């Protein structure tokens, strides 16, 4: 919400292949979204990438970003989700 | 700082364990819509609901996208129509149900609750008209839900209303028999009905509530079940602790959504209803969660104890997570809406009497239970009376949502579709309670109502 920083978490789950990070970061760059941090791991044989992104200078409606990412995910055969960090702070901190 | 483990755990809750916000329900007071004529009153109701709830669905969808949280339903609850309509002097309140239905469609919500009356101590003239109108009102509408509060710990049980509701349930079944008595799935009889409950079919906005308010109902039996799978064979202290932690996280999601919705809609936030509300989907069942405690099937010995502990631990986790927990808050045990309950009832392991015992420790009552179509009105009233006694004398909410399906009997089943699911017809004790039901009057309030 307003008092919090406007940051979000992008997660990519699926089968690993060449160029996933490139494609996702290109899309984010196109809409003025800066990547603060990236980590990736293989969890239960599933490629898992977590990106912390900054929505401060985003150039499209925030609600449209998730649609764009879902579309890209379909093209790449992976699941891409964007969630505002407020969610994780609410669930995992007291 | 959030770590990857927490992020992935959260993703799994949404993706694999069916965590969702079950409903954002906007409560709208219709007190100022009372008018001397039905037409004028209905016009005011329609205009007011559309003015307040016009952006509800859109706002819900925006929040859903922002946090990546599924928000299943957007709904509306209103002041009990028996209060709003009392000034118009009409003899049939079906037009009020129809205008609620129309307003719900315009706003794009999938249910509207509040075709209701609060008669725990007796009838006003208007309450009487409303209750008589229920069968036609539910047959003439699709999105309207109706509820009648017939008992409370403070007042005791209005046995005249209990008798009448048996007849009304039968008439509602008959009026909607071409849809498997679907009308009865939208009609709840309550003891100690909460005035801020966001869940259907029992939602209405009580007389003590504000002008407009956002209440949020959350769910997640799958999340709790998954958490319990990690502690198989461990002692009950560990189980309680595990449930509390899961409930805490679920409630925090609800609070986040409620506060954001409240801010965006400029409507005060009321309460979070932390209920484990099952759906017919596999992996979203309260019965299966109870079985995870170590029971072969839901309904066997140990079920009530497991449910009691579950209900209590869910509340304890939720209370820590939000200061405004209200509504029903606990575990729901509807039969038709829960894949595991359907299986247990079909196999004969879960019977009506066991369900009644379970309602002593769950958050609601005998919910979405299909019974033979030839069950008498008096027997239905008898079932209601017992359930109301459980609520009244234990100082808790209980409810009855029974569906006597015309032309069907034990061994058959009825399909409602969607979240309402499929119900096997359950056997009912046939010994007569007619003389008991026809006594009339009120069962006095229990001694522990005298708290002043």
């Amino acid at each position: 919400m307003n008092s919090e920083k406007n940051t979000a978490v992008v997660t990519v789950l699926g089968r690993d292949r060449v160029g996933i990070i490139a494609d996702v970061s290109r899309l984010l760059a196109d809409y003025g979204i800066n990547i603060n941090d990236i980590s990736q791991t293989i969890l239960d044989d599933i490629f898992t990438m977590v990106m912390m992104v900054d929505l401060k200078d985003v150039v499209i409606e925030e609600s449209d970003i998730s649609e764009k990412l879902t579309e890209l995910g379909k093209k790449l055969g992976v699941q891409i989700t964007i969630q505002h960090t407020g969610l994780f702070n609410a669930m995992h901190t007291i | 700082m959030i770590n990857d483990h927490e992020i992935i755990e959260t993703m799994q809750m949404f993706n694999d364990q069916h965590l969702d916000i079950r409903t954002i329900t906007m409560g709208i007071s219709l007190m100022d819509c009372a008018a001397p004529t039905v037409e004028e009153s209905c016009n005011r109701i329609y205009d007011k609901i559309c003015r307040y709830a016009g952006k509800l669905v859109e706002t819900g969808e925006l929040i859903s996208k922002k946090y990546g949280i599924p928000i299943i339903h957007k709904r509306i609850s209103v002041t009990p129509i028996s209060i709003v309509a009392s000034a118009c002097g009409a003899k049939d309140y079906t037009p009020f149900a129809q205008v609620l239905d129309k307003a719900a469609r315009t706003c794009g919500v999938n249910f509207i609750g509040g075709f209701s009356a609060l008669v725990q101590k007796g009838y006003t003239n208007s309450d009487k008209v409303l209750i008589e109108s229920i069968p036609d009102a539910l047959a003439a509408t699709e999105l309207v839900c109706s509820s009648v509060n017939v008992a409370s710990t403070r007042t005791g049980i209005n046995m005249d209303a209990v008798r009448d509701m048996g007849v009304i349930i039968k008439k509602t079944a008959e009026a909607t028999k071409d849809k498997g008595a679907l009308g009865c799935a939208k009609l709840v009889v309550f003891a100690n009905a909460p005035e801020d409950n966001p869940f259907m079919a029992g939602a209405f906005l009580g007389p003590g509530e504000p002008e407009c308010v956002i209440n949020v109902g959350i769910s997640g039996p799958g999340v709790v079940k998954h958490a319990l799978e990690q502690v198989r064979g461990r002692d009950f202290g560990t189980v309680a602790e595990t449930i509390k932690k899961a409930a805490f996280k679920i409630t925090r999601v609800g609070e986040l959504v409620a506060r954001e919705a409240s801010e965006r809609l400029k409507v005060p936030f009321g309460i979070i209803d932390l209920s484990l509300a099952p759906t017919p989907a596999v992996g979203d069942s309260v019965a299966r969660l109870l079985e995870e405690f170590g029971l072969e099937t839901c309904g066997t010995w140990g079920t009530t104890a497991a449910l009691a502990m579950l209900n209590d631990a869910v509340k304890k986790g939720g209370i820590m997570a939000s200061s405004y927990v209200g509504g029903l808050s606990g575990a729901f045990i509807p039969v038709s809406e829960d894949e595991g309950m359907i299986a247990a009832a079909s196999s004969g392991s879960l019977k009506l009497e066991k369900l009644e015992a379970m309602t002593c420790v769950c958050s609601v009552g005998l919910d979405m239970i299909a019974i033979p179509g030839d069950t008498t009105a008096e027997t239905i009233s008898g079932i209601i009376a017992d359930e109301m006694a459980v609520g009244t004398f234990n100082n808790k909410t209980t409810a009855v949502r029974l569906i006597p399906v015309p032309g069907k009997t034990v061994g058959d089943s009825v399909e409602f579709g969607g979240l309402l699911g499929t119900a096997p017809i359950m056997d009912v004790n046939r010994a007569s309670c007619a003389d008991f039901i026809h006594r009339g009057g009120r069962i006095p309030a229990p001694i522990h109502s005298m708290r002043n």
Side-chain angles (χ1 to χ4, degrees), chain A residues 12 15-25 47 49 76 78:
Chain A
V12 181
R15 217 161 50 86
D16 197 10
R17 48 162 279 190
V18 175
I20 293 184
I21 297 186
D23 287 342
V24 175
S25 22
F47 167 77
M49 179 172 78
L76 300 177
V78 294

Side-chain angles (χ1 to χ4, degrees), chain B residues 191-404:
Chain B
N192 294 320
E195 302 198 352
D196 51 11
N197 160 30
F199 283 99
M200 296 298 169
F204 64 89
L205 188 76
E209 291 286 307
E211 175 73 11
C212 188
V213 66
I214 289 290
N215 296 321
V216 167
I218 52 187
S219 186
V223 175
V224 179
K225 180 171 186 292
H226 176 81
L228 288 187
E229 284 166 7
Q230 316 306 312
V231 295
R232 277 189 185 148
R234 310 274 290 277
D235 78 327
F236 285 110
T238 311
V239 173
E241 204 53 35
T242 306
I243 297 170
K244 273 161 55 181
K245 283 183 187 154
F248 175 87
K249 289 175 189 169
I250 299 171
T251 309
R252 288 295 274 256
V253 178
E255 168 126 346
L256 177 73
V257 168
R259 293 206 176 273
E260 177 113 12
S262 152
E263 199 169 285
R264 284 177 186 245
L265 291 162
K266 299 188 173 43
V267 169
F269 154 57
I271 55 98
I272 301 294
D273 187 322
L274 166 60
S275 285
L276 297 182
T279 69
V282 173
D284 205 18
S285 156
V286 169
R288 299 294 183 204
L289 168 53
L290 293 172
E291 289 166 5
E292 186 57 42
F293 276 78
L295 307 171
E296 187 181 343
T297 57
C298 179
T300 190
W301 303 112
T303 303
T304 310
L307 180 59
M309 192 180 147
L310 171 68
N311 205 43
D312 185 63
V314 162
K315 284 179 188 164
K316 286 171 178 164
I319 289 286
M320 173 73 185
S322 171
S323 293
Y324 298 100
V325 172
L328 297 161
S329 285
F332 292 175
I333 52 167
V335 174
S336 79
E337 299 170 345
D338 185 310
E339 170 268 324
M341 293 283 178
I342 296 169
S346 304
S347 75
S349 169
L350 182 62
K351 296 194 161 57
L352 207 46
E353 285 77 4
K354 185 64 178 178
L355 277 164
E356 184 186 314
M358 290 163 71
T359 65
C360 300
V361 297
C362 81
S363 68
V364 201
L366 293 173
D367 197 16
M368 289 301 286
I369 297 169
I371 55 174
D374 62 357
T375 311
T376 64
E378 286 89 352
T379 295
I380 293 174
S381 293
I383 298 171
I384 295 173
D386 283 350
E387 194 56 34
M388 296 302 105
V390 167
T392 303
F393 287 79
N394 289 307
N395 206 8
K396 71 184 289 293
T397 301
T398 47
V400 171
R401 188 158 49 142
L402 292 177
I403 305 145

Side-chain angles (χ1 to χ4, degrees), chain A residues 1-2 9 11 13 39 43 48 50 52 63 66-67 79 81-94, chain B residues 1-2 4 6-15 62 65-69 248-249 252-253 256 259-260 263 320:
Chain A
M1 271 176 262
N2 296 342
V9 176
T11 39
L13 302 174
S39 67
L43 190 96
T48 310
V50 179
M52 310 293 280
S63 57
S66 88
E67 274 166 36
Q79 184 194 332
T81 322
I82 182 163
Q83 294 170 296
H84 198 273
T85 25
L87 171 69
F88 303 96
N89 290 331
M91 284 177 82
H92 300 285
T93 57
I94 294 179
Chain B
M1 188 64 198
I2 320 157
D4 287 1
E6 289 165 347
I7 290 170
I8 290 163
E9 183 195 76
T10 308
M11 295 295 298
Q12 285 172 339
M13 284 185 184
F14 290 118
N15 290 342
L62 284 176
K65 278 184 189 154
K66 177 171 176 184
Y67 294 107
I69 303 170
F248 175 87
K249 289 175 189 169
R252 288 295 274 256
V253 178
L256 177 73
R259 293 206 176 273
E260 177 113 12
E263 199 169 285
M320 173 73 185

Side-chain angles (χ1 to χ4, degrees), chain B residues 151-187:
Chain B
S152 79
T153 301
R154 277 278 177 188
T155 61
I157 307 173
N158 178 352
M159 288 299 290
D160 293 330
V162 168
R163 178 197 61 220
D164 294 345
M165 287 313 295
V167 177
I168 294 296
I169 288 172
K170 288 282 283 184
K171 283 187 181 166
T172 304
E174 201 54 41
T176 55
K177 69 176 173 191
D178 52 334
K179 292 180 190 153
L182 182 64
C184 296
K186 296 182 278 180
L187 172 58

